[in-house]
Amino acid sequence: QKEVEQDPGPLSVPEGAIVSLNCTYSNSAFQYFMWYRQYSRKGPELLMYTYSSGNKEDGRFTAQVDKSSKYISLFIRDSQPSDSATYLCAMSRGSSNTGKLIFGQGTTLQVKP
Amino acid sequence: GAGVSQSPSNKVTEKGKDVELRCDPISGHTALYWYRQSLGQGLEFLIYFQGNSAPDKSGLPSDRFSAERTGGSVSTLTIQRTQQEDSAVYLCASSSQGRRVSDEQFFGPGTRLTVL
């Protein structure tokens, strides 16, 4: 069983929809949670970063972490065609000083005009 | 400023051949990471460099894989006697220090390796 599970999709939504992306994990040592966005043939870029439990909002994006359930989410409001990409969740152990990231499989999102 | 660059962008090789993949991190970044992205597998950590030393090599899948970093800058990932299962996109990332897990990792565009 993988440490981080993420539904690969694909997920297709109409423009303007609210998108919910999720990951579950098994290792309670994870303390840092990130969402990366990856466009086709490009490297991933950091979207959101959260430490421990709670919510974080940045424009149309909201990240949620529920450590008790080992479940993290990324919400995209008023989705745009430019949001079409693969979204990867990533996690890191707080006790590690290497910064090694453990990634989910990635969810492919398509926002249709 | 310039981001992380990788070369070549694409590499096609025959089974059994050796390949070298190059990564140029962001100038001044001391931490450098290699990841592998296979179809349907997400990104898998391979190796971490802090300066020229590699304190974490735990992700290298076999002894056919090795990496080095010289001058605290450029890194080369070498795969010997390539196998078809080595086909993947190899991504390099760098961060300013890498001593805190919260340091952002900046990724290059990757090298797409195809082993025939």
Side-chain angles (χ1 to χ4, degrees), chain B residues 20 22 39 45 76-77 102 105:
Chain B
E20 286 189 352
R22 176 187 169 105
L39 192 63
F45 167 80
T76 303
L77 177 68
S102 56
Q105 295 182 26

Side-chain angles (χ1 to χ4, degrees), chain A residues 32 38 41 49 97-99 105, chain B residues 33 37 40 101-102 105 112:
Chain A
Y32 294 86
Q38 185 176 24
R41 303 277 175 161
Y49 154 73
N97 67 350
T98 72
Q105 192 174 342
Chain B
Y33 306 80
Q37 188 170 31
V101 295
S102 56
Q105 295 182 26
R112 185 173 299 270

Side-chain angles (χ1 to χ4, degrees), chain B residues 21-57:
Chain B
L21 313 179
R22 176 187 169 105
C23 172
D24 280 272
I26 293 172
S27 178
H29 279 191
T30 59
L32 186 146
Y33 306 80
W34 283 98
Y35 294 88
R36 179 171 70 174
Q37 188 170 31
S38 306
L39 192 63
Q41 292 296 316
L43 274 80
E44 301 171 288
F45 167 80
L46 296 178
I47 187 169
Y48 157 70
F49 284 93
Q50 180 60 243
N52 290 337
S53 63
D56 190 347
K57 306 179 183 179

